[in-house]
Amino acid sequence: MSGSSGRLYAAIDRAADRMLRASVIERLAIATASTALALLIGVTIVAAAGYDPVQFITNMLEGALGGRSAIARTLRFSTLFILTGVAVAVAFRAGVFNIGVQGQFVVGGFATIMSIIWTAPLLPEGIVGGVGLLLIGFLAGIFAGGAYGALPGALKAYADANVIITTIMLNFIATGVVGWLVQNPFRGEGNAAPNTERIPEYVSLPSIVFDSSGFSIIGLGIALATVAVIFVVMERSRFGYDMVTSGHQESAATYSGVGAKRTVVLTMTLSGMVAGLAGAVFAIMIQGYYTDPSGIGTYGFDAIAVSLLAANNPLGIIPAGLLFGGLDSAGSHIGIYTDVPVQLIDGVIGLVILFVAVPELFRMAAERIGLGGESR
Amino acid sequence: MSLADYAGENRIRIAGIVAVVGVIVFTAAAMDLPIIDIVTVGFVERSLQAATPIALTAIGGLYAEKSGVFNIGVEGFMIFGAATAATMMWIISGGSPGQSDIWLAILASVLISLAFSIVFAILLIRYEADQIVAGLALWFIGLGFGPFMAVLVWDSRNSPSLESINDLTVPVLADIPVLGPIFFDTSPLVLFTAVLAVAAWKFLNDTRYGYWIQAAGENPEALDTAGISVTRVRYAAVIFSGVMAGLGGAVLLAQAGSFTGTGETMVSGRGWIGIVAYLFGNYNPLGAGVAALVFGGLDMLQIQLQTVGINVPNRLVNLFPYVGVIVVLTVWGSTRTPSAVGEPYESEE
């Protein structure tokens, strides 16, 4: 689709242009307004469906921030949103619409668990073996995620296959194949549920500060370190420069000798690697085994909202990831303690993305009520 | 453009399809697979039924893109279409739906899709929303609020068994061998879609408005100069595409007879496949219909394989359409899109 990809790039070009022209404050304002408006609509729907909106808001806040275990849960989700958000941001920043982070996340996490299960008998038990297996697991996750991201990248570069659609299809395929694998050949012996065996107890991220199962401050540390690394790669390295240039201005990049095809493949690989790392953290820190991926969270999809809220800037991913961690944590609280359907939260996340896509809406609204002042 | 012209312009594409079919037939023959048993009349009938929602969505999406707007939100519209049709069928009938309730539910679902489409079109055209991001957003909104509606009504993401549409048997015509059972003794929605595909093709190529739609996508300045509002034409095309996708979702529900809201819902990528179908069909409604049939066939292959005793796990056979999409995009990646797609148009006035 050379014509269409040219068109896509032009569209991204314009969007990027608009983004660059917008000041940081304006971006923040758009992100805040989008989230606020989406939440407002969510609360309105809750009220319309016959629930008490005040009670709903109280429950949301309680679920996100009420007490130590709620905060640990928020940070647990935030860790995953920061990692998957960075994976999306890497690609979007380079103008490649990787919608396949969910699939790369699944493939990465599955590879992590299987590699640990397979190599565990070869290493000594205890701390040394545990650290070794953790390293093996993380590397396997990063490698598998990267490879699963490189595939649509290569299809784009060498066969001009639309990345949006191929990555969405690869999500379905990842869920289906991994789902089948954990149900059949790799199902743990004697498991009633479609799960693999558990990884050994000694392969885990230690719970420090928060004594909560499913969250380790080390996981959050890995996420923040990833943000730092990606920030440096994208903002300070030659490769990052090429990536962003080819995303924003294909023609300029071609003139300056950047191999556009190679860049697309490398971008998708890097994005997939981060997604695979996210999958590894999810598999080790939260689950300890792998299950049918159609039942796990849609972190890779929600990450698109996280990245867009952050204007695809790695540093902006941190607050956006925390916000979404809070939303999801509130969602699970609501799911347990109220009968408001939790699917509402997914819908609200969709609304956030929709509003972020329409900055003009807020700009016009701001002009009308005399905020901002400057005309476009 | 006549069929002969279309065939002439798409020689490579058609040769490609023939080659693929040839390879499949050859492999099957070499492996001693009973092809005759696989491609039965029943298989064609089921494939056509599976293809209808995809074809309806593809035809709508094609109009939007022809007019210069990439409506990537069709998957979301399909989910809304299916969810509203299901809930409407339940509400209208008070919990025990019959055949007439299906038609009312489809109608209600189309009207609701119309309302959503108008809002979406305003965001895309008046407020110049990023078409890709907004379209993705619509998918996520559908994934959230579709099951949300189901939970509100049934306390579960899935509906109980509702009513599915009965076959329509046309007297006399149904007795024609092969064609009879395929077209005249099947879901009336199949025939409806076939007629609609032909009408959409004639309209796009043989009416003045059809030319306007094409001009809005290829050369909006010229259309503007001729005194036609580009914006108005685009509004019409985008709203049409949303309504068609909503209809596609409602038809999917009417054929399935119950709503599934787990995972990626019962729509499960059919909207995305619809987009690929019109790319594959080279922006021709008839071509899109044929492409939809290919995907519908892949979707229905499972039953056929079972009947001839080839045991591939369901979970894996269900992935065939997705693999098919990737193959299609890889082999026929380079379609020519209308030149002004994705660019907001601002009149000089």
Side-chain angles (χ1 to χ4, degrees):
Chain A
M1 245 175 299
S2 54
S4 119
S5 68
R7 221 58 55 203
L8 280 182
Y9 276 115
I12 296 159
D13 236 33
R14 252 176 296 106
D17 248 30
R18 221 185 284 165
M19 280 298 192
L20 288 177
R21 268 189 279 123
S23 64
V24 173
I25 295 175
E26 206 178 6
R27 271 187 235 167
L28 256 178
I30 289 171
T32 316
S34 301
T35 315
L37 189 54
L39 284 172
L40 187 69
I41 293 179
V43 172
T44 313
I45 292 173
V46 165
Y51 302 99
D52 178 358
V54 178
Q55 187 61 40
F56 176 75
I57 295 171
T58 320
N59 283 328
M60 290 269 290
L61 288 173
E62 214 169 88
L65 302 166
R68 235 179 141 73
S69 71
I71 291 175
R73 187 175 55 201
T74 294
L75 290 178
R76 182 218 297 172
F77 289 130
S78 301
T79 302
L80 295 174
F81 284 129
I82 291 171
L83 280 167
T84 50
V86 170
V88 173
V90 166
F92 277 28
R93 193 73 187 281
V96 182
F97 276 99
N98 179 12
I99 314 301
V101 167
Q102 179 74 13
Q104 293 140 21
F105 172 87
V106 164
V107 170
F110 178 67
T112 300
I113 293 294
M114 291 323 293
S115 63
I116 292 177
I117 290 177
W118 283 332
T119 48
L122 310 174
L123 290 176
E125 293 188 12
I127 291 195
V128 180
V131 172
L133 287 172
L134 276 179
L135 277 178
I136 290 173
F138 277 121
L139 287 177
I142 293 169
F143 179 81
Y148 208 63
L151 176 66
L155 291 179
K156 167 72 202 167
Y158 301 105
D160 220 356
N162 186 317
V163 173
I164 301 177
I165 297 175
T166 51
T167 50
I168 289 173
M169 295 298 130
L170 287 169
N171 287 339
F172 285 112
I173 294 172
T175 305
V177 171
V178 172
W180 181 76
L181 288 175
V182 300
Q183 240 166 39
N184 298 289
F186 296 143
R187 189 179 195 143
E189 254 175 69
N191 273 357
N195 297 334
T196 63
E197 279 170 42
R198 285 198 151 271
I199 55 174
E201 283 292 321
Y202 55 87
V203 188
S204 65
L205 299 177
S207 309
I208 326 172
V209 188
F210 289 95
D211 184 27
S212 145
S213 70
F215 176 65
S216 161
I217 204 93
I218 296 189
L220 185 60
I222 292 174
L224 297 179
T226 309
V227 168
V229 169
I230 294 297
F231 179 76
V232 171
V233 168
M234 281 173 58
E235 306 291 327
R236 300 278 179 272
S237 79
R238 170 76 214 201
F239 168 64
Y241 177 80
D242 289 351
M243 239 171 68
V244 176
T245 333
S246 71
H248 286 175
Q249 281 180 312
E250 198 181 13
S251 50
T254 315
Y255 285 129
S256 66
V258 176
K261 295 186 172 184
R262 204 173 136 262
T263 313
V264 170
V265 180
L266 287 176
T267 303
M268 281 299 298
T269 311
L270 183 60
S271 173
M273 284 164 72
V274 178
L277 174 63
V281 169
F282 170 78
I284 294 173
M285 185 173 86
I286 298 182
Q287 284 205 301
Y289 57 89
Y290 220 80
T291 184
D292 188 337
S294 60
I296 66 175
T298 52
Y299 303 101
F301 288 135
D302 301 343
I304 294 169
V306 173
S307 179
L308 288 170
L309 263 191
N312 304 327
N313 180 322
L315 296 183
I317 298 286
I318 298 174
L322 286 169
L323 173 73
F324 269 67
L327 266 180
D328 243 33
S329 183
S332 34
H333 183 80
I334 285 169
I336 299 168
Y337 296 104
T338 73
D339 34 305
V340 179
V342 277
Q343 288 73 29
L344 181 79
I345 304 287
D346 298 333
V348 167
I349 289 173
L351 286 170
V352 172
I353 305 183
L354 182 64
F355 293 135
V356 172
V358 207
E360 288 307 304
L361 196 65
F362 299 110
R363 233 166 257 159
M364 286 187 191
E367 268 167 38
R368 195 150 296 169
I369 56 173
L371 271 175
E374 51 160 340
S375 58
R376 272 196 305 132
Chain B
M1 189 165 67
S2 75
L3 270 182
D5 290 343
Y6 177 71
E9 275 178 26
N10 295 281
R11 211 172 296 142
I12 300 175
R13 195 172 291 259
I14 290 169
I17 297 176
V18 171
V20 169
V21 172
V23 169
I24 293 172
V25 170
F26 180 78
T27 328
M31 289 171 63
D32 208 15
L33 291 181
I35 292 204
I36 309 284
D37 295 341
I38 291 183
V39 186
T40 56
V41 170
F43 175 55
V44 176
E45 192 185 330
R46 279 190 291 277
S47 302
L48 275 166
Q49 290 187 4
T52 28
I54 299 173
L56 290 168
T57 305
I59 292 167
L62 175 162
Y63 267 62
E65 190 156 339
K66 271 282 182 190
S67 82
V69 183
F70 194 13
N71 184 356
I72 209 173
V74 287
E75 173 92 9
F77 278 110
M78 280 188 89
I79 299 176
F80 271 117
T84 49
T87 45
M88 282 298 157
M89 199 194 297
W90 185 261
I91 292 166
I92 292 171
S93 68
S96 52
Q99 284 295 309
S100 61
D101 298 317
I102 297 181
W103 294 99
L104 284 175
I106 292 178
L107 184 67
S109 169
V110 163
L111 291 177
I112 293 169
S113 300
L114 176 68
F116 284 136
S117 306
I118 292 172
V119 175
F120 187 60
I122 291 173
L123 288 178
L124 284 191
I125 298 168
R126 176 172 158 76
Y127 292 102
E128 298 177 12
D130 183 321
Q131 292 174 7
I132 293 168
V133 178
L136 279 173
L138 215 66
W139 181 29
F140 296 137
I141 294 172
L143 282 176
F145 287 122
F148 176 79
M149 279 195 265
V151 175
L152 280 187
V153 177
W154 298 292
D155 258 335
S156 154
R157 302 182 117 208
N158 301 330
S159 80
S161 166
L162 305 165
E163 177 83 356
S164 62
I165 197 145
N166 285 343
D167 284 358
L168 174 77
T169 311
V170 184
V172 188
L173 290 178
D175 298 331
I176 307 172
V178 187
L179 287 182
I182 289 176
F183 285 107
F184 302 110
D185 187 16
T186 181
S187 159
L189 298 166
V190 169
L191 199 57
F192 168 76
T193 306
V195 171
L196 200 96
V198 175
W201 172 66
K202 289 298 271 184
F203 185 82
L204 195 60
N205 292 305
D206 291 338
T207 66
R208 194 158 10 144
Y209 206 88
Y211 282 120
W212 291 351
I213 290 175
Q214 302 200 35
E218 291 290 354
N219 195 343
E221 291 79 11
L223 188 63
D224 200 10
T225 313
I228 312 295
S229 162
V230 174
T231 312
R232 196 173 294 175
V233 171
R234 286 187 174 175
Y235 265 116
V238 173
I239 292 170
F240 176 68
S241 72
V243 169
M244 287 293 280
L247 175 65
V251 164
L252 179 67
L253 181 101
Q255 289 176 346
S258 67
F259 179 75
T260 314
T262 46
E264 267 88 20
T265 75
M266 66 192 300
V267 175
S268 196
R270 286 181 174 79
W272 298 108
I273 293 177
I275 293 175
V276 176
Y278 74 69
L279 294 176
F280 190 22
N282 206 15
Y283 298 93
N284 178 315
L286 296 179
V290 173
L293 184 58
V294 171
F295 293 121
L298 284 173
D299 200 13
M300 287 295 128
L301 209 51
Q302 180 189 327
I303 307 171
Q304 299 313 116
L305 291 180
Q306 266 167 8
T307 48
V308 297
I310 302 173
N311 279 318
V312 187
N314 278 359
R315 193 87 194 253
L316 298 182
V317 178
N318 287 342
L319 302 177
F320 283 2
Y322 309 129
V323 176
V325 164
I326 293 178
V327 171
V328 163
L329 282 180
T330 305
V331 179
W332 287 276
S334 32
T335 38
R336 208 193 73 78
T337 45
S339 50
V341 165
E343 289 166 15
Y345 183 75
E346 275 165 37
S347 175
E348 299 298 321
E349 320 165 297

